[in-house]
Amino acid sequence: MNRGAYSLGRLAIGSVARLIYRPHIEGRENIPRSGGVILASNHLSFIDSIAIPVAAPRPVHFLAKSSYFDGTGFSGWASRTFFTSIGAIPVRRGAGQAALDALDQQRQILDQGRAVALYPEGTRSLDGRLYKGRTGVAFLALQTGAPVVPVGLIGTDKALPKGAKFPSRKERITVRFGEPIDVTRHGSADSGRARRLATDEIMAAIHALSGQELAGVYNEAPAQNPIERIKQVLPHERR
């Protein structure tokens, strides 16, 4: 990553974002100023990945679809420049090897002593409820020993609802950073029970910060074919 472009972009985008959204920020002191750290947040809007880096007192990185970086021409350059400037790192999404590659990228970010933002729900909540957390964030925290700072975002779904092309200046967003959580006491990353307990602790902290209604289920995309429908009803652990 071009650190100069990132620093310049973070300054420019941060100034614009603060002007538009007038974010109310709580708990910045809870984020360690150095070392690898995971910011685990609820997910309501596309602008969540802008709100967190803008509100945090240190650079924060997150994974974004590789297609945002692959475009050609002016629009491709603009997209690539924008996502690079807000700390995005391209990743090829999907299951199997793609998922493992994404996990390895996140591990490398933490091993380099940087901060990474992740969404345990996996995808945006379209109804405003907080969905059950997948265990990938806990797996990463247990494997690396990185502390987890829970994040509660409020109002980002109203500031930029799904499908909206432009943000609303009428809405003020809130970003709440909770106290760091050390999940390593739950056990090894190889233990499914440890991953589940750690995930539930992280999600409880996010819930306390966001105040959302609990959905009690996973936020899964609608099945596109009979095989996917069968997979969704079968008992399996979501990472």
Side-chain angles (χ1 to χ4, degrees), residues 103 107 111 137-146 183-184 187-190:
L103 189 65
R107 188 185 304 111
D111 288 343
V137 174
F139 177 83
L140 196 61
L142 290 168
Q143 189 177 58
T144 63
V183 300
T184 57
S188 167
D190 296 329

Side-chain angles (χ1 to χ4, degrees), residues 91-103 134 228 231 236-237 239:
V91 62
R92 182 171 54 89
R93 288 188 174 183
Q97 188 59 47
L100 294 176
D101 290 344
L103 189 65
R134 302 169 190 272
E228 289 186 8
K231 286 182 178 179
H236 62 288
E237 181 188 23
R239 288 189 175 180

